[in-house]
Amino acid sequence: MRVRLTMLCATAAEGSPDQVFGDGALSARDRLELLAARSALPPYSQAFRAPSVRCAQIAETLAVEAAPEAALRDLDHGLWDGRPLRDVAAEEPYGLSAWLTDPAAAPHGGESVGELCRRTAAWLESLPVGMETVLAITEGSVIRAALVHALSVPARSFWHLDVPSFSAVTLTMRDGHWNARLGRLAAPRRREPADGSAPVAVLAARTASRRLCLTGRP
C-alpha cells in the first residue's frame, strides 16, 4: 500500500509570546499569502480539515472542499484556551514547564501531548486502503504528533519538531513505513526569459531552506 498525505499547517507563530491558545481567524495578510500560493497545492484525491474556524477559512481561501475530521482537531488546551502564552507563563510557570517537558502532563485540565499523539496515530493508521493522495488542513500540534508517529520517536520529541505556519509536511507510506518531508506552499516565481520577452510565471511547492527528509524505518 502507498499513501501520500500532505498536511498543511494552519497554526501561526507557535511559541511566540503573543500566541493565544485555541482557535482564531485568519488575518488579511494570511489570506493574501494563501491566495498567492493556491496554484502550488499538490494533487490530492481527498481532503480533510480540522473542525476549527481557521482551518475552515484556509480551505475556503484555497478553494478546497475539505471534509471536517474530528481526529484532526487541535490539542485541547482546557483552562488555557483563549489565553495568551505570556499570561500562562507568568501565572502558571510550573504548570507550563510540566506541559512542555512531560508528555503525560495536562495541567490545563485538557489533553496531554501523549494523548494527542495516540489520537493522531490512530487516525493515520485508519486511512483507507486505496486513498493514495490525501490533503489535510490541520493544526501544528497535530502535524507534530503525526511526525512523532511516522518517525517512531518518543512523545517527548514533540516540542523539538518545528512546524512553521503554512508549512506543508508530506508523509509517504510505503511497505508499512513512513517517510517525511517538510516544505512550504510558495507563490509563483517569475522567470525573466533571456530574449527579453515577457516574464514567465513558474509554479512550485518550495521546500524550506532547512529540509526535513527523515525516515520512520527502525
Side-chain angles (χ1 to χ4, degrees), residues 170-187:
T170 299
L171 301 180
T172 305
M173 163 71 83
R174 291 191 183 92
D175 302 322
H177 301 290
W178 291 97
N179 292 332
R181 174 168 293 183
L182 174 62
R184 183 176 175 84
L185 291 185

Side-chain angles (χ1 to χ4, degrees), residues 30-40 61-62 185-188 203:
D30 289 338
R31 287 182 180 274
L32 287 174
E33 183 176 348
L34 286 166
L35 282 170
R38 186 166 59 185
S39 299
T61 303
L62 293 174
L185 291 185
L203 301 180

Side-chain angles (χ1 to χ4, degrees), residues 103-130:
H108 41 55
E111 190 175 23
S112 71
V113 166
E115 289 170 331
L116 170 66
C117 289
R118 290 189 290 274
R119 184 231 300 172
T120 305
W123 181 77
L124 286 173
E125 297 306 318
S126 73
L127 290 174
V129 175

Side-chain angles (χ1 to χ4, degrees), residues 6-32:
T6 300
M7 305 184 81
L8 178 61
C9 180
T11 309
E14 282 194 313
S16 164
D18 296 325
Q19 175 189 345
V20 175
F21 291 109
D23 199 2
L26 291 180
S27 67
R29 180 176 179 178
D30 289 338
R31 287 182 180 274
L32 287 174

Side-chain angles (χ1 to χ4, degrees), residues 93-108:
Y94 298 110
L96 182 62
S97 177
W99 183 56
L100 294 173
T101 55
D102 182 1
H108 41 55

Side-chain angles (χ1 to χ4, degrees), residues 37-60:
R38 186 166 59 185
S39 299
L41 272 177
Y44 58 90
S45 57
Q46 191 159 353
F48 300 96
R49 65 168 176 83
S52 63
V53 169
R54 62 173 161 250
C55 286
Q57 291 180 339
I58 288 174
E60 179 185 15

